[in-house]
Amino acid sequence: MLAPISFDFDNDGRVDAITTTSATGLFGQDVAVLPPFIGFGSVPSSPTGRMSVSLGVDAATGMIIGDMSAPPGASIISPLTTVIDAQGSSSSVRTALGLDSGGYALRAGTNLLTFNPVRNWQSSDAGVAQDAGRLTTINLQLLALAAYFTDTSDPEDYAISLRKVSRHISAAMVTSGSLDFTTPASIVALMTASGQASVLDPPVPTDWRDAKADLIAKYMTAMPPRIRDEADIRAWVYTFRFFIMPELNILGYRWPNPAAPRIAAIQPADITAVAEYFRSAPAPVAGPLMAAPDYREITASSSAPNSLVLSGCATAAPTRLPTCSDWLLFRGSENTELTAADAVEPAKLTASLIDGNLHLTRAGTFLGLTRVTYQTRNSTGDMATGIIFVRVRAPD
């Protein structure tokens, strides 16, 4: 995670120090941070205070993530520490998420607030490496749920909030006792805790709710129980944001929904196949300017059949330029200039830059996923390369 880390030493709600991370997401007294350094105060020598991240960039995926925290005693910040901070007890979170039982149980001595999964993937101790893989999967599941529960009309291209989903998980733990994210019942429990599955006006149909919960649970089931590789992290993060979320959006558009039978037929094996496609995506390159991965769809009912024109940042999400999501490291979003774009598979999709607008057009009869790379530049000359994943979709 490339982000400013805030410290509250005395837990009074005020920020006492800020430091940025290193190129690998580390922070602390002896860590060389990435420029520009925007910190103040002294980084503590021991984990005595609460830590938080308002917004940052996930170094493995290039996605924007926000509202993470960790309680006193933690030396790492992660989606899991954010849940623990919301719930108040590391042991109860451990029990509720089933981390002490079953074939993928953690070792008794693994401290959820200090154990860094990424730094232990390749441990020579098999038990340590297995715990690192298991906790990586749990963190990715929490990231996926955070993306789903983020209130935005453009969830594939938006900073997600871990704090909100952590509150839902904490509330669901109180009523359900345990949560297994591979079961639709646990996803429904989270929807209920969020108010999404409560009686609204008009009431939420239970079959609509169950259709969404079923797809999310299938994604969780398809994920490897232990992930120990950055390419797999990208594969599963991108699969949720750029495959599962668009299908959930279709389900949310109206009910009854003509796409519901097709979406219900999606199985974990299908999701795994999609993840394998995303696994080949190149890793983001950390720099002053970061280009967040993006997603667009082309359908026969697009404004121009089987093509899409992306123009400006004031337009609706489907036609926004990918540069609208570019990110100045540690400083926030900035609209930048799109300087070039190339279709990775021109036999499937063509991409052309005309007067600052990006034209995407299906080639032949192609249906499915492909991607476009683009170059972006800001006013000070910093440059970055980004990816737009494009699905050419047949009408339901």
Side-chain angles (χ1 to χ4, degrees):
M1 185 76 175
L2 308 176
I5 310 296
S6 300
F7 300 89
D8 177 5
F9 302 140
D10 48 12
N11 299 304
D12 63 354
R14 301 181 186 179
V15 175
D16 298 308
I18 292 179
T19 187
T20 53
T21 60
S22 71
T24 56
L26 298 178
F27 59 91
Q29 282 193 330
D30 301 320
V31 174
V33 301
L34 277 172
F37 179 69
I38 60 171
F40 67 84
S42 298
V43 177
S45 58
S46 62
T48 56
R50 187 172 181 270
M51 298 184 293
S52 61
V53 170
S54 56
L55 280 175
V57 179
D58 176 37
T61 65
M63 305 301 290
I64 311 301
I65 300 171
D67 282 340
M68 287 201 300
S69 61
S75 58
I76 61 171
I77 299 180
S78 68
L80 186 55
T81 67
T82 309
V83 173
I84 294 169
D85 192 34
Q87 207 281 332
S89 167
S90 181
S91 60
S92 62
V93 170
R94 188 177 177 124
T95 299
L97 297 185
L99 298 178
D100 286 328
S101 59
Y104 302 102
L106 302 180
R107 298 166 307 135
T110 298
N111 186 329
L112 302 186
L113 296 178
T114 61
F115 184 85
N116 187 323
V118 175
R119 292 179 67 81
N120 286 291
W121 282 341
Q122 305 304 322
S123 173
S124 59
D125 184 320
V128 171
Q130 288 176 352
D131 283 1
R134 183 63 184 143
L135 289 175
T136 300
T137 295
I138 293 294
N139 278 310
L140 294 186
Q141 290 179 333
L142 295 173
L143 278 175
L145 292 169
Y148 173 69
F149 283 105
T150 294
D151 294 331
T152 171
S153 61
D154 185 18
E156 304 89 13
D157 181 22
Y158 198 79
I160 64 173
S161 168
L162 270 300
R163 185 174 303 172
K164 178 178 294 185
V165 73
S166 295
R167 291 197 296 264
H168 300 335
I169 290 172
S170 180
M173 286 178 182
V174 173
T175 57
S176 302
S178 63
L179 292 172
D180 177 357
F181 299 139
T182 65
T183 65
S186 288
I187 307 302
V188 168
L190 291 179
M191 292 176 174
T192 301
S194 73
Q196 189 179 111
S198 62
V199 176
L200 303 177
D201 184 19
V204 173
T206 56
D207 49 355
W208 173 85
R209 177 204 67 189
D210 293 346
K212 288 191 164 189
D214 180 64
L215 182 60
I216 295 172
K218 286 175 180 175
Y219 165 81
M220 301 295 190
T221 299
M223 290 182 71
R226 297 187 178 109
I227 291 177
R228 295 162 56 186
D229 180 275
E230 279 200 359
D232 272 344
I233 288 178
R234 281 190 294 280
W236 289 98
V237 169
Y238 292 169
T239 295
F240 193 84
R241 295 291 283 271
F242 306 138
F243 177 67
I244 299 297
M245 285 295 293
E247 301 291 9
L248 293 171
N249 288 346
I250 290 173
L251 288 175
Y253 179 66
R254 60 176 171 170
W255 196 263
N257 195 303
R262 175 187 62 77
I263 295 173
I266 296 172
Q267 296 301 315
D270 303 316
I271 298 171
T272 299
V274 173
E276 189 59 30
Y277 169 81
F278 284 120
R279 198 179 195 281
S280 66
V285 178
L289 181 64
M290 302 283 291
D294 219 325
Y295 174 83
R296 295 293 181 267
E297 289 191 358
I298 295 175
T299 67
S301 61
S302 297
S303 54
N306 298 313
S307 65
L308 189 65
V309 178
L310 308 185
S311 175
C313 295
T315 57
T319 57
R320 283 162 48 95
L321 283 168
T323 50
C324 303
S325 305
D326 290 346
W327 191 261
L328 290 178
L329 198 58
F330 305 131
R331 295 187 182 276
S333 60
E334 177 180 278
N335 294 343
T336 58
E337 179 188 6
L338 180 63
T339 60
D342 296 285
V344 174
E345 301 171 289
K348 298 178 179 179
L349 183 82
T350 62
S352 55
L353 187 58
I354 304 173
D355 297 329
N357 300 327
L358 181 56
H359 295 246
L360 306 176
T361 304
R362 178 175 79 162
T365 59
F366 171 72
L367 294 172
L369 270 170
T370 186
R371 64 180 186 259
V372 172
T373 60
Y374 70 92
Q375 283 71 51
T376 181
R377 179 176 58 204
N378 66 9
S379 58
T380 59
D382 297 315
M383 302 187 71
T385 298
I387 300 175
I388 314 168
F389 294 102
V390 182
R391 176 174 288 279
V392 183
R393 189 187 289 276
D396 285 305

